[in-house]
Amino acid sequence: MVWGMTDAVPHTNSAFRTAVVPAAGMGTRFLPATKTVPKELLPVVDTPGIELVAGEAADSGAGRLVIVTSPGKDGVVAHFVEDLVLESKLKESGKYHLLEKVRKAPGLLEVESVVQDQPLGLGHAVSCAESVLDDDEDAIAVLLPDDLVMPRGVLETMARVRQKRGGTVLCAIDVPKDQVSSYGVFEVETVPDAVNPDVLKVTGMVEKPAIEDAPSTFAAAGRYILDRSIFEALRRIEPGAGGELQLTDAIALLIKDGHPVHVVVHRGTRHDLGNPGGYIRAAVDFALNSDEYGPSLREWLTDRLKRADS
Ligand code: UTP
């Protein structure tokens, strides 16, 4: 089923047309909230995380968003459907500022959904999107809605790398060494003819390594441009950590087969919305930057921190 695109002008970039957002996970780190509320709809100030990520996908030139959802998480896709009753009420009462806000998500880009019946892992979730791709799509973007990568723009850099070097392009952030064990970590080598020193060749990937085993401090950051051959690799992998089909294992297969895999190191902020600690930081960061909430929050936080110290 297709929704959205009420007033947006479609624009495409030549590396990918479809952005896939896997949103079928159980969100167990966010229980009990996620018993009934999908974590992708939890607001960062007033906007659900998935709308922020959809905005990034639209900015990067994607023409459509494919949300991988699970039975019972219909609200995630409903967020991108026009609500004419609500819109007319807001119009009648002159609340144009709010009207603009509720119209934003349906206007971003065309939205389609596919259902992952069981949470068999991120790799499996991505494989569910294959059925809705057109024959001429030779790559897709994947954006994890848990990850806010800011400022926007890394997907465009990744698309340029794909156009120049082909294959698969991933995104990394440089994390402090003592945090590597929380991430998928890249083994990399420099690219001799790269103009941008933040473009590196990936020679391997290790999931949550011990500090002494980590091949670098470059950690996977939830943005991928995957060559279509990923689907064939996903069919070849066996369940890995936690009995799930891991996207990392399929990427490792591509590397082993000699398929080009590069990474762009993002030198900005990344927030992890998938756990309460990271989510709170993101909310505070966004709120501090808001004209509406920033000044009073800053004042309150300053006062609160003084009290905490005493
Ligand atoms: P996570 O493992 O971070 O999300 O997967 P989760 O499984 O929802 O969270 P916890 O561990 O139970 O707290 C990263 C992304 O992949 C999606 C999730 O929705 C999340 O956006 N995902 C994960 C799927 O779509 N399907 C899956 O089977 C697993």
Side-chain angles (χ1 to χ4, degrees), residues 1 9 48 51 55 75 102 128 132 184 189 226 271 280 293:
M1 193 141 185
V9 180
E51 181 177 327
V102 301
C128 293
V132 297
E189 58 186 40
L226 300 172
H271 285 300
I280 289 166
Y293 306 110

Side-chain angles (χ1 to χ4, degrees), residues 185-231:
V185 178
F186 296 113
E187 184 181 302
V188 291
E189 58 186 40
T190 51
V191 182
D193 66 331
V195 179
N196 179 351
D198 288 329
V199 176
L200 300 164
K201 188 170 164 54
V202 181
T203 53
M205 207 174 160
V206 198
E207 204 51 55
K208 301 191 170 68
I211 296 180
E212 58 279 13
D213 298 334
S216 74
T217 51
F218 298 128
R223 299 292 179 269
Y224 310 77
I225 297 179
L226 300 172
D227 186 86
R228 195 167 181 140
S229 53
I230 194 72
F231 295 110

Side-chain angles (χ1 to χ4, degrees), residues 2 8 23 30 34 67 80 116 124 132-133 147 154 165 194 219 248 272 275:
V2 182
F30 246 115
T34 43
I67 300 178
F80 293 90
Q116 184 191 25
H124 182 258
V132 297
L133 295 184
D147 281 348
V154 73
R165 303 182 184 278
T248 308
D272 179 2
N275 69 84

Side-chain angles (χ1 to χ4, degrees), residues 147-162:
D147 281 348
L148 292 184
V149 178
M150 298 177 317
R152 287 179 182 176
V154 73
L155 272 174
E156 284 96 315
T157 309
M158 291 163 65
R160 283 198 296 278
V161 174
R162 154 100 186 163

